[in-house]
Amino acid sequence: MILPAQDIPIVRKSLDRLMNTYGPSLLDSDPLGMAHPYPRHEDREVIAFFAAALAFGKAKSVRASIRRVSEVLGDRPAESLRQFEFRGEAGPFAGIVHRWIGSEDLARFAHLIGAALRRYGSLETLFMEGFSPEAPTLQDALAQFHHRLIDLSPRGRRSKKAPKRDSFQYLLPNPAGASACKRLHLFLKWVVRPADGVDLGLWRAPRPDQLIIPVDTHIARISALLGLTDRRTPDRRMADEITASLRLLNPEDPVKYDFAITRLGILGHCPRKPVDHLCAGCPLQDACRHWRRIPKRKKRAAREMASAPPPVPHS
Ligand code: SF4
């Protein structure tokens, strides 16, 4: 079920307040922050693609893995990738592991990006092969992008040292399936939304109104608290439902709230099990179903606790 019409004004106002609190100054808590320092568009694009692919697990370890990949690719990552070819082993990525993604997987992924740059010039040009301005979302274009990229996969067998699980496929999931494909939609959000201090605004033709929300555990949970979805499974149908609700709030740019909402979860300001004194200072409280259910007496106590000075440590 999407957001009921009577809740639109209060949810919009709360989310606008949230965006004023959680903005670009918090980029270091996000993998996207790793793409910003590069001055060239092509370098931002490829580092963003690598960063989105590795955006699973704890934020700190994600950023550490992206940093190591960036060090391998040097100051001109797009040029390094154009020159790179997978030769059946990890090569310069040897020793870099991100959770179950091994260094050989990273080398294969690097090959794929390099091959795309050699054939199409940029990831944007490759994406545009399947793009239609009439399409309501970028979902079909993304499926074609994935298909064309997979066609560029390096030939050759995996080395004996490579893990048995097909972790390489995990780096590039198929958007045609039932999964929410959070990391691919995250990448699209980064490159399609206009440069606003958070997103990069690198691609010209795809529009923000065609984006689908990248659903992770934080988006799924907080969207449910706001009534943006009543689905339980964080899959593609949930992503579509949350996006439909967000379109009611902002038809031109429905996913603009993504960064601020995920900060609440990533920074521990809205833990899985709500903590009343954290809720007392939360910009979303007027729209949040949890806070609305708390009795007035408990709300008062939570506000008092939130505004109390921190305890003096014992010397
Ligand atoms: S009011 Fe509490 S439960 Fe609701 S979104 Fe804010 S921190 Fe989370």
Side-chain angles (χ1 to χ4, degrees):
M1 200 183 82
I2 64 170
L3 186 68
Q6 71 270 18
D7 289 346
I8 293 173
I10 187 72
V11 175
R12 185 190 289 124
K13 197 169 165 199
S14 301
L15 282 171
D16 285 341
R17 208 181 293 138
L18 186 77
M19 275 190 77
N20 289 335
T21 313
Y22 294 91
S25 62
L26 297 168
L27 257 180
D28 345 344
S29 60
D30 198 86
L32 175 57
M34 309 297 288
H36 273 265
Y38 293 89
R40 291 179 185 81
H41 273 212
E42 63 170 12
D43 294 329
R44 287 179 164 204
E45 184 189 62
V46 295
I47 290 295
F49 195 54
F50 240 119
L54 295 176
F56 59 98
K58 290 229 160 63
K60 201 171 162 195
S61 77
V62 171
R63 286 176 60 85
S65 299
I66 300 164
R67 187 169 295 112
R68 294 188 71 192
V69 167
S70 309
E71 281 163 11
V72 167
L73 298 176
D75 292 343
R76 300 285 309 271
E79 195 45 43
S80 304
L81 287 164
R82 257 184 220 108
Q83 308 293 334
F84 181 74
E85 260 193 76
F86 177 71
R87 297 188 192 281
E89 52 189 38
F93 297 93
I96 309 179
V97 173
H98 180 64
R99 303 193 74 190
W100 55 83
I101 302 296
S103 38
E104 191 180 313
D105 295 311
L106 294 171
R108 289 158 74 91
F109 191 68
H111 173 102
L112 210 69
I113 304 177
L117 298 183
R118 288 193 292 275
R119 183 174 302 180
Y120 295 92
S122 69
L123 295 176
E124 179 185 12
T125 312
L126 165 54
F127 187 86
M128 292 307 291
E129 294 273 314
F131 171 71
S132 161
E134 281 81 40
T137 72
L138 299 177
Q139 185 69 43
D140 288 346
L142 187 61
Q144 292 193 47
F145 174 75
H146 174 268
H147 188 73
R148 288 191 172 88
L149 259 182
I150 290 291
D151 269 358
L152 299 170
S153 291
R155 282 192 222 100
R157 290 169 174 276
R158 296 165 70 76
S159 77
K160 285 188 183 147
K161 282 190 216 143
K164 290 216 173 80
R165 177 178 182 172
D166 198 349
S167 39
F168 176 67
Q169 253 181 25
Y170 192 84
L171 281 176
L172 201 59
N174 186 353
S179 147
C181 278
K182 168 215 140 177
R183 290 167 293 131
L184 283 172
H185 286 292
L186 189 61
F187 169 67
L188 288 183
K189 182 187 89 79
W190 290 347
V191 293
V192 169
R193 282 204 69 249
D196 59 354
V198 173
D199 293 309
L200 299 167
L202 300 179
W203 291 6
R204 290 147 295 179
R207 303 183 309 273
D209 67 88
Q210 293 177 297
L211 290 167
I212 292 175
I213 190 91
V215 171
D216 64 3
T217 56
H218 309 299
I219 290 286
R221 189 168 51 79
I222 296 168
S223 293
L225 288 168
L226 297 178
L228 303 176
T229 182
D230 58 6
R231 303 194 71 83
R232 296 279 174 93
T233 311
D235 57 7
R236 183 170 162 183
R237 288 167 76 186
M238 180 189 269
D240 288 342
E241 191 167 281
I242 297 173
T243 307
S245 290
L246 292 172
R247 280 207 187 98
L248 299 173
L249 308 176
N250 193 321
E252 290 82 34
D253 193 5
V255 307
K256 73 172 186 176
Y257 301 113
D258 171 81
F259 182 81
I261 298 174
T262 48
R263 286 324 92 185
L264 265 188
I266 289 170
L267 299 172
H269 297 179
C270 176
R272 193 187 299 256
K273 193 160 179 259
V275 176
D276 288 352
H277 73 267
L278 293 178
C279 296
C282 174
L284 293 182
Q285 60 180 222
D286 294 345
C288 173
R289 291 173 177 192
H290 169 75
W291 181 256
R292 283 180 179 182
R293 280 196 295 262
I294 297 179
K296 275 188 184 161
R297 179 181 45 80
K298 279 186 83 182
K299 281 183 182 164
R300 222 176 11 251
R303 286 199 181 101
E304 276 166 20
M305 191 171 170
S307 59
V312 180
H314 294 292
S315 53

